Amino acid sequence: GISIGLVSTSGITWMQRDAVESEMGRVNAAHQFVRTVAITAAVALGGAVLLGTVEARTGAVESVRSLLAGDAAVVDADTVAAIGDGVALISGIAAVLAVPTWVVVWRAHRRRRLEI
């Protein structure tokens, strides 16, 4: 939640800074659309990684699906460990992707400051 808030707020501020006032509505709408698509894709990919990890470790994902559905399911220790490994893998992937993203944003910011 914090990451989405930080990225979303800074992204819209960055876009609004360069937008023409008469186009501000389109800029905001485009930002909302891209934000929604990105969140949806990230949740889908995260779920795929999590369920894939559980499937690879335990051979069954039905208990995890029951947990996600809000059912009162009881899972064994192997499934709990596999869920933890899946969350760790998702966090690792996010961290690895954050570094090149930060470099691109930093370079763009630096280039913009040099133009001013």
Side-chain angles (χ1 to χ4, degrees), residues 17 106-116:
R17 181 185 63 206
W106 180 74
R107 285 182 178 174
H109 176 70
R110 196 172 108 192
R111 191 176 314 122
R112 180 167 169 77
R113 287 188 62 196
L114 292 174
E115 290 174 359
I116 294 177

Side-chain angles (χ1 to χ4, degrees), residues 40-103:
T40 302
V43 168
L45 291 171
V49 168
L50 179 64
L51 292 177
T53 303
V54 172
E55 174 71 29
R57 294 270 317 267
T58 67
V61 296
E62 291 307 315
S63 59
V64 176
R65 288 186 179 148
S66 296
L67 289 172
L68 292 173
D71 298 339
V74 177
V75 296
D76 60 3
D78 289 339
T79 303
V80 172
I83 292 170
D85 290 345
V87 171
L89 183 58
I90 292 166
S91 299
I93 291 169
V96 167
L97 292 176
V99 172
T101 303
W102 180 82
V103 169

